[in-house]
Amino acid sequence: MRLVIAECSVDYIGRLKAHLPRAVRLLMVKADGSVLIHSDGGSYKPLNWMSPPARLHVEAGAEEEDPEVLETWTVQAAKSDDRLIIRVHAKHHDSDHALGTDPGLIKDGVEADLQRLLAEQIDVLGPGYSLVRREYPTAIGPVDLLARDGAGHTVAVELKRRGDIDGVEQLTRYLELLNRDPLLAPVRGIFAAQQIKPQARVLAVDRGIDCVTLDYDAMRGVDDSAGRLF
Amino acid sequence: MRLVIAECSVDYIGRLKAHLPRAVRLLMVKADGSVLIHSDGGSYKPLNWMSPPARLHVEAGAEEEDPEVLETWTVQAAKSDDRLIIRVHAKHHDSDHALGTDPGLIKDGVEADLQRLLAEQIDVLGPGYSLVRREYPTAIGPVDLLARDGAGHTVAVELKRRGDIDGVEQLTRYLELLNRDPLLAPVRGIFAAQQIKPQARVLAVDRGIDCVTLDYDAMRGVDDSAGRLF
DNA sequence: TCTTGTATCTCGTTT
DNA sequence: AAACGAGGTACAAGA
């Protein structure tokens, strides 16, 4: 990994065009040819970048013979026409480092975990609920959870961390399909999420879909396998 | 901005839990207290990070008295309980740089530009078209463009850079709603995008929605404010 | 290989 | 401040 602190201006031409005026920034060049341009703020997203695989070509001076330009960097994407052009006006730092391959990130607490917890604690949806199965297959994809309520009626559960309008649409399509199956019909829908957006709730209610807000921490607290990972 | 190349292990506890085993990585500390942890590969997303605003606290040694740990970095989010703990086993590089504030990115060619151009050149949809308004409000969100065709009938236009099935669903919802308004009905739909995916086109046609492919470069060429950005 | 769905999404804009 | 939509979304899992 090469780290350069440089005064530079940047142009990206590809799916859109973007321009960065002259300023001091960090240029990070990775082993796979990708380049990230970071300022001293913002979040993890670089101001501009080139995704791998890409090829970096450095040329002394400027193509247009501008004496203020020390180097012109051209970063060309290997599989598309996307191109990043970096004009370096001054270099304040330049260092190279051998990092080796990374063992990678281990995660816990994503939607898959939420699904596992709700499957184990299906009665948070109401008394008498029982699980039929997780990832119940349909022609248009698997339903997150299929269950039966206290009265024995089938219930399809769509699970999200953040309940958005898309999730309601998805559940609606599943319900339409499931209700064509005489062995299952009538199938009711439950939209379960840690947070449900107002618009999504309105749409769900309009379609007769129940909304349930889940407390992940509480559910994880009940689960005895919690906290064992690290 | 501080750049440290270090052998480290990392734990994140917040909206989820995540762990990085011991390896050599780049630690980038920004002026706002945010921290990014990058490996020499992947894409622009760091392996792990803390978003601003945050506070970095460095302590010599390890809390648990592990002699292999040189320093323990605690990065605490200012507005939540999110926390990043970095155990530094060895430092290979450590440098600090003054970057100043960045003038920021200038973009061209995003959906907003398309919408402005199409509003100005509404007749690319057909002869006699006239604009009613941009961002026409409805209960479930604003319609990109509302227009009248040559015959004086109302037309709702959904605009995308890339025409996907989601966009057709969105337009369908708008049309359903708009057609309940006796002052507007009947309202026809036009799905306009730079590229329309085959599946989206099939769905649109099936629902009686017209598809229009837009040539952004040509439309920008017509617009006399084009090319002034850079 | 391509498609689908999630994300510690980020980032802007608007309410 | 909260919510909504777009993104050069990125990224991983499944087909």
Side-chain angles (χ1 to χ4, degrees):
Chain A
M1 178 187 286
R2 183 177 170 196
L3 301 173
V4 179
I5 302 284
E7 187 172 345
C8 61
S9 57
V10 183
D11 283 284
Y12 164 76
I13 299 176
R15 275 160 283 191
L16 57 69
K17 292 179 189 176
H19 176 72
L20 281 170
R22 186 168 165 171
V24 179
R25 305 184 174 94
L26 165 67
L27 309 175
M28 190 190 313
V29 183
K30 293 193 177 187
D32 51 18
S34 60
V35 176
L36 314 188
I37 299 160
H38 270 279
S39 66
D40 199 2
S43 189
Y44 70 64
K45 194 176 178 183
L47 291 166
N48 219 326
W49 72 94
M50 180 57 69
S51 307
R55 210 163 38 78
L56 168 64
H57 175 73
V58 177
E59 191 185 4
E63 292 171 13
E64 60 276 11
E65 305 297 338
D66 183 342
E68 298 229 347
V69 174
L70 208 69
E71 291 176 356
T72 302
W73 295 20
T74 306
V75 191
Q76 175 67 53
K79 301 196 171 181
S80 71
D81 289 334
D82 293 26
R83 182 179 300 183
L84 200 64
I85 293 168
I86 305 170
R87 290 181 183 82
V88 176
H89 296 88
K91 271 197 261 186
H92 300 142
H93 173 94
D94 193 341
S95 63
D96 220 307
H97 311 273
L99 265 59
T101 56
D102 202 279
L105 191 67
I106 304 162
K107 284 188 186 185
D108 172 44
V110 289
E111 193 196 290
D113 301 298
L114 209 60
Q115 188 188 106
R116 180 180 51 80
L117 285 174
L118 186 56
E120 289 168 0
Q121 304 171 37
I122 193 75
D123 53 355
V124 305
L125 297 180
Y129 271 71
S130 64
L131 182 70
V132 175
R133 73 164 287 183
R134 293 166 62 177
E135 301 288 344
Y136 182 89
T138 76
I140 55 169
V143 178
D144 287 339
L145 294 175
L146 203 70
R148 284 190 205 288
D149 63 17
H153 293 306
T154 307
V155 180
V157 182
E158 177 65 31
L159 194 62
K160 295 284 176 199
R161 243 175 29 85
R162 284 176 0 198
D164 223 334
I165 238 172
D166 287 354
V168 180
E169 294 283 12
Q170 200 178 334
L171 180 52
T172 304
R173 289 196 294 271
Y174 289 140
L175 288 170
E176 214 177 293
L177 212 69
L178 293 171
N179 274 309
R180 291 184 196 166
D181 184 343
L183 292 176
L184 292 175
V187 182
R188 207 156 48 78
I190 292 184
F191 190 53
Q194 282 184 274
Q195 269 196 331
I196 296 179
K197 296 280 176 73
Q199 286 197 347
R201 190 181 293 271
V202 168
L203 186 64
V205 168
D206 185 61
R207 295 186 175 171
I209 292 169
D210 291 337
C211 290
V212 174
T213 306
L214 300 173
D215 184 338
Y216 180 64
D217 287 330
M219 292 173 72
R220 191 170 46 183
V222 170
D223 177 38
D224 52 20
S225 78
R228 276 207 236 118
L229 265 177
F230 311 132
Chain B
M1 179 186 288
R2 183 177 170 197
L3 301 173
V4 178
I5 303 282
E7 186 172 346
C8 60
S9 58
V10 183
D11 283 281
Y12 165 76
I13 299 176
R15 276 159 284 189
L16 56 67
K17 292 179 189 176
H19 176 72
L20 280 171
R22 188 167 164 170
V24 179
R25 305 184 174 95
L26 165 67
L27 309 176
M28 189 191 312
V29 183
K30 294 193 177 186
D32 52 17
S34 62
V35 176
L36 314 188
I37 299 159
H38 270 279
S39 65
D40 197 2
S43 189
Y44 75 60
K45 196 175 176 183
L47 292 164
N48 218 325
W49 72 92
M50 178 57 68
S51 306
R55 211 163 39 78
L56 168 63
H57 174 73
V58 178
E59 191 184 7
E63 292 171 13
E64 61 277 10
E65 305 297 339
D66 182 342
E68 298 228 347
V69 175
L70 207 70
E71 290 175 359
T72 302
W73 294 19
T74 305
V75 191
Q76 175 67 54
K79 301 196 171 181
S80 71
D81 289 334
D82 293 28
R83 182 180 299 182
L84 199 62
I85 294 168
I86 305 170
R87 290 181 184 79
V88 176
H89 297 87
K91 272 197 261 184
H92 300 141
H93 173 93
D94 193 341
S95 63
D96 219 307
H97 311 273
L99 265 59
T101 55
D102 201 279
L105 190 68
I106 303 163
K107 283 188 186 182
D108 174 42
V110 291
E111 196 193 290
D113 299 304
L114 261 182
Q115 191 187 106
R116 180 180 50 80
L117 286 174
L118 185 56
E120 289 169 0
Q121 305 171 36
I122 193 76
D123 54 354
V124 306
L125 296 179
Y129 272 71
S130 64
L131 182 69
V132 176
R133 71 165 286 183
R134 293 167 62 177
E135 303 288 344
Y136 182 89
T138 76
I140 55 168
V143 178
D144 286 339
L145 295 174
L146 203 71
R148 287 192 204 285
D149 62 17
H153 293 304
T154 307
V155 182
V157 182
E158 177 64 32
L159 194 62
K160 293 286 175 197
R161 256 181 8 93
R162 286 175 350 201
D164 221 337
I165 242 172
D166 287 355
V168 181
E169 295 280 15
Q170 199 178 336
L171 180 52
T172 304
R173 290 196 297 272
Y174 289 141
L175 289 170
E176 214 178 293
L177 212 68
L178 293 172
N179 273 309
R180 290 184 197 168
D181 184 343
L183 292 176
L184 292 175
V187 183
R188 208 156 47 78
I190 293 185
F191 190 53
Q194 281 184 275
Q195 268 196 331
I196 297 179
K197 296 276 178 75
Q199 287 191 344
R201 189 181 293 272
V202 168
L203 185 64
V205 168
D206 183 61
R207 296 187 175 169
I209 293 169
D210 290 339
C211 289
V212 174
T213 306
L214 301 173
D215 184 337
Y216 178 67
D217 288 329
M219 291 172 72
R220 191 171 46 181
V222 171
D223 177 40
D224 51 22
S225 78
R228 281 208 231 118
L229 267 176
F230 311 137

